[in-house]
Amino acid sequence: MEHWGSDMEAVGISVRLGRKTILRDLSFAACPGHLTAIAGPNGSGKTTLLRTLTADVRHSGTVTINGQRVSDMKPWELAAIRGVLAQATRIAFPFTVIEVVGLGLAAGTAAGNASLPLHALERVDLAGYANRFYHELSGGEQQRVQLARVLAQVWDPVAQDGPRWLLLDEPVSSLDIGHQLLVMELARDFARSGGGVIAVMHDLNLTAMFADRVAIMRDGRIMDIGAPKDVMTDHVLSSAYGCRLRVNATPSSDSPFLLPQVATVDSGQ
Ligand SMILES: Nc1ncnc2c1ncn2[C@@H]1O[C@H](COP(=O)(O)OP(=O)(O)OP(=O)(O)O)[C@@H](O)[C@H]1O
Ligand SMILES: [Mg+2]
C-alpha cells in the first residue's frame, strides 16, 4: 500500500509553553498503511508534537486527521478514530487490569464487544492478568496494559469511515527485548492492515527495523523525514544527538543499524 496521501497532517505548527517556544513552524504528515517514527534527543519536542496531533496542547497552525480539522472535532469523535499511548500514565485508583483496558473499550466504538479487552490483553502477552491490580504490576507490564487499553479503543485498523490511528509515545521504553519486538510487530501489523501508526522512539535500531518513515527532531524542528535508510545517516544522527554515531547496514537487508562511537578515554598514563 504505497500511497502518500497525508491523512494525518500538521501544517505550520507552533507551540509555546510558558515563555518557551517548543515547536517552531513545524509541518509533519503521516499516512495510513505506514508506521511513522519520531526520533530525536530528550527535550527536542517529540511528545509535544504527538500531543499537538492528539489535540491535547494549544498550538497555532492546523492539524487534520482523515481530512477533518482536529480542532473542529468533539472528544468522542476523536476517540473513535485514534488511540493515544502517553509517555507515562499514572492511575490514582486501585483499578484492576481489566478495568483499565475497559476504559479504552468505553472510549472507542466497539463498546458492544465485551470480550475485546481480554483479546487485547492476549495481544500484549498479558493473558491471565485481568483481575490483578494495575498498581501492583511491574513497569513493563503496566506499559503493556496501557497499550491493551489503546488497542481496545481502536481495535479495527480500518473503520467504515476511514483508517484508525495509533499514536504511541515511547511504546517500548520499559519493555524487555522480547516484548519490544512483540509490540513493534503489533504496531506494524496494525499499519499493514490499513491503520496509521505514529510512534515516538528512542531505540534507533528498532526504528530502522520497523518504521516505514522516520522524522528526526531537534530543537522543536524536524531536521529530516523519510525512509530510515535515507534519513538515518552518520551525519543526521550525530548532529541530532550531539554524539558520534556510526551507521552500518545489516548483512541480511539494507536496514541501517547503529553503533555509538565511544570517545577514546585518555587514561593520563
Ligand atoms: N508544560 C510545559 N511547560 C514548559 N515547558 C515545557 C512543558 N512541557 C514540555 N516543555 C518543554 O518542551 C521541550 C520539549 O518537551 P517534550 O516533552 O516535547 O520533549 P521530548 O522530545 O518528548 O523529550 P523526551 O525524549 O525526554 O521525552 C522541553 O524542553 C520541555 O522542557
Ligand atoms: Mg517525550
Side-chain angles (χ1 to χ4, degrees), residues 248-258:
N248 295 287
T250 47
S252 54
S253 71
D254 62 353
S255 170
F257 75 92
L258 252 94

Side-chain angles (χ1 to χ4, degrees), residues 17-18 20 22 40-49 87 169-170 200 202:
L17 292 172
K20 209 173 150 195
I22 312 292
N42 293 144
S44 57
K46 305 178 300 296
T47 293
T48 307
L49 172 57
Q87 188 167 357
D169 198 346
E170 299 193 30
V200 173
H202 275 307

Side-chain angles (χ1 to χ4, degrees), residues 44-87:
S44 57
K46 305 178 300 296
T47 293
T48 307
L49 172 57
L50 206 75
R51 294 187 68 229
T52 304
L53 296 173
T54 62
D56 287 323
V57 76
R58 277 173 59 94
H59 58 86
S60 58
T62 312
V63 178
T64 55
I65 180 168
N66 298 354
Q68 281 184 278
R69 278 177 82 118
V70 164
S71 54
D72 294 339
M73 295 171 76
K74 305 271 184 283
W76 62 86
E77 293 174 316
L78 283 167
I81 294 183
R82 58 41 169 181
V84 184
L85 180 72
Q87 188 167 357

Side-chain angles (χ1 to χ4, degrees), residues 133-146:
F133 278 113
Y134 177 83
H135 67 269
E136 290 178 358
L137 301 186
S138 76
E141 289 165 345
Q142 289 186 352
Q143 194 170 27
R144 283 184 283 136
V145 171
Q146 291 299 336

